[in-house]
Amino acid sequence: MASNRKVMVLPGDGIGTEVMQANMKIIDWLAKHRSLDFDLSEGLVGGASYDAHGTPLTDEVLADCVASDAVLFGAVGGPQYDNLAFDLKPERGLLTLRKEMDLFANLRPALVFPALVDASTLKREVVSGLDIMILRELCGGSYFAEPRGIDDLGDGIRKGYDTNAYTTPEIERIGRVGIDLARKRHGRLTSVEKANVMHSGVLWREVMTELHAAEGNGIELSHMYADNCAMQLVRSPKQFDVIVTDNLFGDLLSDCAAMLTGSLGMLPSASLGEQDPDTGLPKAMYEPVHGSAPDIAGQDLANPLAQFMSFSMMLRYSFDQAAEADLLDQAVNDALSKKRTGDIMAAGCEQTGTDGMTAAVIDALDHLAR
Ligand code: IPM
Ligand code: MG
């Protein structure tokens, strides 16, 4: 059936290809049982694209992504690419997509499923019921700001440098998303920087404060230094509702938050841009926070749940299918009570692989749809 939901699928490398294959089974289920169709195209990215075309992202695939309503992304990278030039590394494909599509708002929800409270390395009472949202700025700061590079200073000395620069509009637009998210959740926004040592942090705090005064009616804004935030995330993570922070701090803090949920294999993400004036949809890419995990790739060991939940975020944020997104999230939760991949294995559960976990989610969907 023809569909006006144009989705570009980029499995990438390593376990990215496996969890994406698993995701296709969920898509098939929705087509069959919910008449929810997608116009799917598939492309290469990362190491797979480098192997085929000598670049981690071709202009054609980038153009297809820009022309789609949403991009569903797996993972990129692998040790065989470690010695490639900076611009040819698999990660560059991902970063180019983020930058070229201007996906500045990266939503990383860390949610502890009841079934998984004991999978976390933290005590049950610290993580049980946890539901926080890390909002990471994704197009600026030390990932992209100029100047950056490695210079030869002569006498055998070289200098490598990146710049953590943010302009007021860049801070404002991510701050606005933060306020909006806090409004839809529990009304609390924590803005995270290092205003004690960084000029970019001083400006970040100033702009957030002004924006909040102008547009944050009813939202409680607080400020926190990034190092303290890392500590608070493992000490008492339930104090947070929405955390808004820059690109680099967001990268670090979201890995930290992932482990509260039990495994990096449980954290989905949505990367959103401005609304397209024609479709009314935000430019969007959905990807699990985990990487390509080359050490377990190809062995039917990968946890596909972060990929499924990223797809669920796509249903919610790009296609306004909240009921289907809720259904899938519920099925993920239900499946966890029966089967577990190795990363979240617990006593009394049956250990399974990517295929088995996928089958358990499909089973749960069947059950819920009855
Ligand atoms: C992430 C990843 C990426 C990043 C890598 C793969 C480039 O760690 O999405 O958190 O650093 O942003
Ligand atoms: Mg990361």
Side-chain angles (χ1 to χ4, degrees), residues 199-215:
H199 292 98
S200 54
V202 171
L203 185 69
W204 183 282
R205 188 174 286 218
E206 260 176 48
V207 173
M208 285 293 172
T209 304
E210 280 162 22
L211 184 75
H212 173 252
E215 302 177 19

Side-chain angles (χ1 to χ4, degrees), residues 34-216:
R34 283 287 184 274
S35 307
L36 191 58
D37 285 293
F38 297 92
D39 173 3
L40 303 170
S41 322
E42 196 174 313
L44 296 176
V45 69
S49 173
Y50 176 79
D51 291 341
H53 305 295
T55 167
L57 182 71
T58 62
D59 292 344
E60 292 73 30
V61 170
L62 173 60
D64 285 345
C65 289
V66 171
S68 69
D69 294 319
V71 178
L72 190 60
F73 194 96
V76 289
Q80 67 271 46
Y81 308 110
D82 280 354
N83 296 322
L84 286 179
F86 199 69
D87 285 338
L88 298 177
K89 286 190 191 294
E91 290 76 9
R92 197 42 43 189
L94 173 60
L95 296 176
T96 304
L97 277 167
R98 290 174 179 172
K99 187 70 179 171
E100 292 300 317
M101 294 174 71
D102 201 19
L103 305 171
F104 66 93
N106 184 213
L107 282 59
R108 300 189 159 189
L111 206 129
V112 173
F113 286 95
L116 282 189
V117 271
D118 293 316
S120 173
T121 48
L122 275 78
K123 293 198 186 87
R124 151 185 278 271
E125 61 269 24
V126 175
V127 296
S128 106
L130 180 79
D131 175 4
I132 63 178
M133 176 72 85
I134 298 199
L135 174 61
R136 168 186 177 193
E137 199 290 329
L138 206 56
C139 287
S142 50
Y143 274 63
F144 295 105
E146 299 287 342
R148 52 200 293 105
I150 300 178
D151 290 353
D152 207 327
L153 303 182
D155 291 333
I157 300 175
R158 296 194 299 159
K159 181 174 88 169
Y161 52 97
D162 302 279
T163 306
N164 203 47
Y166 274 100
T167 62
T168 43
E170 283 177 309
I171 303 169
E172 272 163 13
R173 69 176 183 171
I174 192 71
R176 230 167 243 131
V177 177
I179 287 174
D180 196 42
L181 282 171
R183 191 159 277 136
K184 290 182 185 138
R185 292 171 47 96
H186 306 291
R188 285 180 294 116
L189 182 63
T190 309
S191 170
V192 172
E193 26 62 9
K194 270 187 74 74
N196 50 347
V197 289
M198 297 167 75
H199 292 98
S200 54
V202 171
L203 185 69
W204 183 282
R205 188 174 286 218
E206 260 176 48
V207 173
M208 285 293 172
T209 304
E210 280 162 22
L211 184 75
H212 173 252
E215 302 177 19

Side-chain angles (χ1 to χ4, degrees), residues 196-316:
N196 50 347
V197 289
M198 297 167 75
H199 292 98
S200 54
V202 171
L203 185 69
W204 183 282
R205 188 174 286 218
E206 260 176 48
V207 173
M208 285 293 172
T209 304
E210 280 162 22
L211 184 75
H212 173 252
E215 302 177 19
N217 200 5
I219 302 300
E220 184 189 314
L221 173 71
S222 56
H223 304 277
M224 194 179 271
Y225 297 140
D227 51 347
N228 183 26
C229 183
M231 191 266 276
Q232 296 296 339
L233 270 175
V234 288
R235 191 184 77 94
S236 155
K238 283 186 259 183
Q239 70 185 282
F240 298 109
D241 179 16
V242 179
I243 292 174
V244 60
T245 190
D246 80 5
N247 205 341
L248 185 59
F249 293 145
D251 182 43
L252 307 181
L253 294 173
S254 59
D255 265 33
C256 181
M259 281 318 293
L260 305 173
T261 71
S263 163
L264 203 48
M266 292 302 297
L267 215 67
S269 89
S271 305
L272 308 177
E274 304 284 4
Q275 256 185 19
D276 184 316
D278 298 332
T279 62
L281 298 174
K283 285 265 161 260
M285 178 158 76
Y286 299 85
E287 53 166 315
V289 171
H290 66 68
S292 58
D295 52 322
I296 59 162
Q299 301 165 55
D300 189 35
L301 291 174
N303 179 350
L305 299 181
Q307 181 73 53
F308 297 171
M309 290 187 285
S310 301
F311 173 66
S312 151
M313 291 184 88
M314 171 185 285
L315 295 174
R316 207 180 290 283

